[in-house]
């Protein structure tokens, strides 16, 4: 055995030992048992689709067989279908740092971005504020929706880097739409600082929490956020296409003027009157009939959060991503991959993005070997670390397999 092999074995043994010690001390380790995961597989794509909580299929069998099959229309009252958007919103609220009565569940993230952005411009109510500042690195749909909202409200879009938002907002700004975590790189943006700057400029801050909710503390109330949206199928494990949510700070609810005033947000929806009168509170964010099957799956899935402190989730998230970067540095030859994710904890979400020239082939082989991440074309390998079910041994294995795959895909380089 050559000196290089001896050194690698020593590194591997040391990292195995460290992973075992970290797993043994992990207060969230037992949460993994709540999820349906394959033995031996490493699932690092929870930032695209969270894993299935084991109890959800049985709960859904009851929803379909009893609530729909037997109670039928009675379930709107007897099974709580009608109140599900607010009830489930109140379950999500503590995960994003919101008091009850400010989060309503329903529709998609895209629809909620549209509602929030148009409503923000209407809440400001100043035609001289003719600009909507938008995160230039945003997930594409947010940009598409923002362009449409700007056309509808007679504003223009001003795209800026998230770090420049504080300097860009001013007397012409109506609202600013920013992603809390960059979906490509995992960079965590300064929600408290940006929110304060936007509000000091007399505008409203709208945040997209898709890549932060369920992975780290958000603090919507504490930081004075005006409006926020997010999905539930990533770190919240609500299932594919599960409904999104809309946060409307209590101080804005009376003036929240939705551009989609559906019958579900009417003050008296069953009166069926031709004129629209908005309901009180966060219910103003509802539009049409709720998607009950997805709602009830999400409600059941959220039970995995019972008794979990978001501070513990954040601590483990940072420890996992630190350890992954340490293992990648130990196993993967220098120059093969480059981390795009900030090293500083204050700037990191719960994923690691690695630039790799052979990213498509590498990710395909990783998945074939049971390490599931995802690809952002053309050259980004993206690994999401979900603290409720990803462990440190998983993390070490993922980095080791990554090194093996890179050697296979890039022989002799």
């Amino acid at each position: 055995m050559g000196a290089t092999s001896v050194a690698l074995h020593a590194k591997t043994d040391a990292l195995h030992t460290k992973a075992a010690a970290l797993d043994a001390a992990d207060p969230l380790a037992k949460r993994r048992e709540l999820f349906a995961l394959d033995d031996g597989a490493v699932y690092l794509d929870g930032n695209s689709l969270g894993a299935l909580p084991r109890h959800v299929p049985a709960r859904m069998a009851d929803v379909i067989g009893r609530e729909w099959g037997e109670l039928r229309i009675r379930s709107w009252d007897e099974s709580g279908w009608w109140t599900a958007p607010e009830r489930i919103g109140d379950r999500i609220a503590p995960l994003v740092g919101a008091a009850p009565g400010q989060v309503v569940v329903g529709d998609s993230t895209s629809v909620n971005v549209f509602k929030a952005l148009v409503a923000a411009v209407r809440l400001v109510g100043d035609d001289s504020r003719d600009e909507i500042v938008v995160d230039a690195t945003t997930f594409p749909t947010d940009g598409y929706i923002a362009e449409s909202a700007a056309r509808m409200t007679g504003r223009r879009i001003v795209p800026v880097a998230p770090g420049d938002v504080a300097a860009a907002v001013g007397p012409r700004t109506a609202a600013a739409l920013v992603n809390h975590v960059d979906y490509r790189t995992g960079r965590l943006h300064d929600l408290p600082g940006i929110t304060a700057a936007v509000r000091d400029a007399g505008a409203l801050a709208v945040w997209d929490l898709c890549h932060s909710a369920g992975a780290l503390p958000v603090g919507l109330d504490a930081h004075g956020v005006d409006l926020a949206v997010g999905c539930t199928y990533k770190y919240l494990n609500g299932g594919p296409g599960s409904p999104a949510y809309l946060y409307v700070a209590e101080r804005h609810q009376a003036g929240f003027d939705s551009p989609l005033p559906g019958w579900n947000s009417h003050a008296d929806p069953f009166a069926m009157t031709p004129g629209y009168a908005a309901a009180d509170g966060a219910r103003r964010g509802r539009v049409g009939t709720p998607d009950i099957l997805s709602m009830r799956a999400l409600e059941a899935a959220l039970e995995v959060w019972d008794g979990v402190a978001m501070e513990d989730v954040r601590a483990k998230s940072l420890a996992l991503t630190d350890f992954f970067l340490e293992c990648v540095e130990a196993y993967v030859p220098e120059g093969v991959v480059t981390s795009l994710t900030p090293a500083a904890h204050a700037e990191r979400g719960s994923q690691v993005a690695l630039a790799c020239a052979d990213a498509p082939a590498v990710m395909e082989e990783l998945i074939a070997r049971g390490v599931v991440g995802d690809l952002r074309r053309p050259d980004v390998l993206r690994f999401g670390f979900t603290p409720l079910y990803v462990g440190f041994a998983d993390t070490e294995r993922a980095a080791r397999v990554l090194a093996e795959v890179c050697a296979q895909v890039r022989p002799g380089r």
Side-chain angles (χ1 to χ4, degrees):
M1 183 181 294
T4 301
S5 296
V6 170
L8 181 59
H9 277 288
K11 286 181 181 178
T12 302
D13 289 345
L15 291 169
H16 276 165
T17 300
K18 183 173 182 177
L22 289 168
D23 279 329
D26 175 17
L28 298 176
K30 297 290 286 183
R31 294 278 158 175
R32 183 188 180 97
E33 298 172 5
L34 302 179
F35 294 87
L37 292 164
D38 301 330
D39 291 338
V42 181
Y43 188 65
L44 300 180
D45 208 6
N47 53 333
S48 287
L49 177 65
L52 171 70
R54 290 185 184 277
H55 66 280
V56 170
R59 191 70 55 80
M60 290 309 296
D62 180 66
V63 170
I64 293 170
R66 182 181 63 83
E67 293 183 7
W68 180 14
E70 297 175 13
L71 296 178
R72 292 177 286 276
I73 197 71
R74 292 162 52 196
S75 277
W76 285 105
D77 292 320
E78 295 181 27
S79 301
W81 288 0
W82 184 257
T83 57
E86 293 79 40
R87 184 177 67 248
I88 302 171
D90 282 346
R91 294 212 62 161
I92 291 172
L95 303 179
V96 293
Q102 299 179 101
V103 179
V104 64
V105 172
D107 306 309
S108 66
T109 305
S110 299
V111 172
N112 284 323
V113 168
F114 182 70
K115 289 185 234 174
L117 207 48
V118 173
V121 173
R122 292 176 174 177
L123 278 164
V124 169
D126 183 348
D127 288 341
S128 70
R129 291 184 173 272
D130 60 352
E131 296 179 348
I132 298 174
V133 171
V134 176
D135 173 356
T137 63
T138 189
F139 189 77
T141 194
D142 285 18
Y144 308 155
I145 294 294
E147 288 280 3
S148 179
R151 290 194 301 272
M152 180 176 181
T153 59
R155 267 64 181 176
R156 71 183 186 92
I157 294 295
V158 179
V160 300
D164 296 333
V165 170
V169 295
R172 296 183 62 179
T173 308
L177 172 63
V178 190
N179 279 248
H180 197 189
V181 174
D182 186 296
Y183 77 100
R184 293 183 187 87
T185 66
R187 177 179 289 277
L188 174 65
H189 297 134
D190 180 12
L191 182 146
I194 292 173
T195 299
V198 172
R199 294 189 62 198
D200 287 347
L204 297 188
V206 181
W207 285 91
D208 182 328
L209 309 178
C210 285
H211 288 271
S212 60
L216 52 92
V218 177
L220 293 179
D221 287 352
H223 301 307
V225 169
D226 299 298
L227 300 159
V229 302
C231 66
T232 61
Y233 49 79
K234 300 185 193 306
Y235 295 108
L236 297 183
N237 310 298
S242 57
Y245 57 90
L246 170 68
Y247 164 87
V248 182
E250 185 177 10
R251 65 186 176 278
H252 293 311
Q253 289 177 2
F256 184 86
D257 183 5
S258 174
L260 298 171
W263 78 286
N264 255 238
S265 62
H266 196 285
D268 188 1
F270 293 99
M272 303 297 175
T273 57
Y276 179 76
D280 293 331
R283 278 182 55 204
R284 290 186 176 209
R286 293 176 67 155
V287 183
T289 304
D291 183 342
I292 292 301
L293 297 185
S294 289
M295 285 259 186
R296 297 290 273 134
L298 168 61
E299 185 171 28
L302 289 170
E303 292 175 13
V304 300
W305 291 96
D306 290 349
V308 174
M310 195 53 64
E311 291 73 19
D312 289 341
V313 172
R314 178 58 169 164
K316 183 177 177 182
S317 164
L318 292 172
L320 286 168
T321 49
D322 277 345
F323 187 55
F324 182 66
L325 289 168
E326 179 186 354
C327 292
V328 167
E329 183 178 1
Y331 294 151
V332 181
E334 186 176 355
V336 176
V337 298
T338 303
S339 177
L340 303 176
T341 301
H345 286 181
E347 299 176 2
R348 189 193 308 166
S350 197
Q351 71 180 54
V352 172
L354 302 176
C356 176
D358 301 296
V362 168
M363 185 53 69
E364 182 178 5
E365 183 60 24
L366 279 172
I367 293 172
R369 296 192 186 196
V371 176
V372 180
D374 72 359
L375 174 72
R376 284 292 176 262
R377 294 198 306 262
D379 62 351
V380 177
L381 303 170
R382 203 176 66 148
F383 303 96
F385 291 83
T386 306
L388 293 192
Y389 55 74
V390 174
F392 293 92
D394 297 326
T395 302
E396 185 277 332
R397 181 189 167 200
R400 184 162 31 87
V401 174
L402 173 63
E404 295 168 0
V405 170
C406 286
Q408 174 185 315
V409 171
R410 299 165 59 88
R413 300 190 200 179

